[in-house]
Amino acid sequence: MHPDHQYIEALRQNDPRGIRRIYALYADQTVRWVTNNNGTVDDARDVFQEALIVLFEKALQPGFVLTCPLGALLHVLCSRKWIDRLR
């Protein structure tokens, strides 16, 4: 289990402080990545929100354990969502 698993627990528990922390730590990197790849800040916010929904759904699955840094997982989810939009 990765130390960032605490954020998965925050999602599972619907903990507002933990969820705000996720946004504070990781949303800006998504904004930078999307805006550097032909998107807008609003596009990036949408993509980040969609990725968090996917992560929340995964977090609710029994036995889901985060084994990598949360930032890395969110980057993969966001980049895939953005690339899908560009297609």
Side-chain angles (χ1 to χ4, degrees):
M1 182 180 318
H2 194 276
D4 286 352
H5 191 77
Q6 65 181 322
Y7 300 118
I8 299 301
E9 289 303 320
L11 289 170
R12 284 182 179 152
Q13 310 269 332
N14 198 23
D15 173 22
R17 266 185 29 190
I19 294 169
R20 278 194 301 273
R21 185 82 176 131
I22 293 169
Y23 275 90
L25 289 172
Y26 303 111
D28 285 345
Q29 77 183 35
T30 300
V31 169
R32 279 191 302 277
W33 192 86
V34 170
T35 56
N36 286 334
N37 288 283
N38 301 318
T40 66
V41 172
D42 286 337
D43 292 331
R45 289 179 181 151
D46 290 345
V47 164
F48 189 78
Q49 184 69 31
E50 291 170 14
L52 271 186
I53 291 168
V54 169
L55 185 58
F56 173 73
E57 291 168 350
K58 291 221 176 273
L60 293 180
Q61 293 176 354
F64 177 77
V65 176
L66 186 67
T67 58
C68 66
L70 182 63
L73 178 58
L74 282 171
H75 179 72
V76 168
L77 292 172
C78 290
S79 62
R80 286 183 182 170
K81 292 220 167 270
W82 181 242
I83 290 167
D84 286 346
R85 277 193 186 194
L86 290 176
R87 289 183 188 158

